[in-house]
Amino acid sequence: MKYLFFLTCTVVLLATTCTQAQRTTAILTYKDGKQLIGLGKIRASGKIKFKKTKKDKAQNYSFDSIARATIHEPYGMVHYVRRKVSGTGNYAIVELVKQGKVTLYRTYDRSYRTMRSEPDQFGNGFVMSGSAPIKNYYVQKEGEPAITHLSSNQLFSKNFEKTAAAYFEDCPVLVQKIQDKVYRKRDLKAILTFYIDECNVDGE
């Protein structure tokens, strides 16, 4: 009985700790390096809803003065930044996925409907439907003023092979691997690693 009571208390304590950690802990980093630590989230408008403690009144912060917002999401701590999107003149709030000589960013947008055919217990086919978030991926080489949209997980997204080949045209070996489908759009991190490690893009 004592062991059961101890086990129950431990589970409750762990659950409470996890819940506390997932209450959108946020760190706002100003462009001058100063930081605010508290609770926050990214609003659909692109503003940051933030307060220092649960008892405080939330205020909206803008990326005009914030360089980076680090938010605790269900899948971990995420760094959000604002970047200009090449060819559009618009700005986007993006997640920082992989930073380096070529940096990878991602956005999650509205869901799209998915459908697939599955047999029932009698062998008859039927269609199952669901939804999935739209993931858009962007890249930016060092020195570039804007990010470039490279791929999406939408069913009818633009041609990844053509877009990636054009973006990495300064590395013919990588372009050939993309065209030969050695690398596909699911291999974005591997593509960036190859570009950084194997492509002579600095004129060395």
Side-chain angles (χ1 to χ4, degrees), residues 10-11 16-17 20 30 33 44 53 62 65 91 93 111 122 127 129 141 143 152-153 160 184-185 199-200:
T10 302
V11 171
T16 303
T17 302
Q20 293 286 346
Y30 284 89
T53 69
S62 169
S65 57
Y91 286 82
I93 308 302
S111 297
F122 303 107
V127 175
S129 65
K141 297 174 185 174
S152 168
N153 67 333
F160 167 76
R184 302 173 185 268
K185 66 180 180 180
C199 299
N200 181 16

Side-chain angles (χ1 to χ4, degrees), residues 61-74:
Y61 289 77
S62 169
F63 277 95
D64 290 338
S65 57
I66 299 297
R68 181 175 65 188
T70 303
I71 310 291
H72 190 289
E73 302 289 7

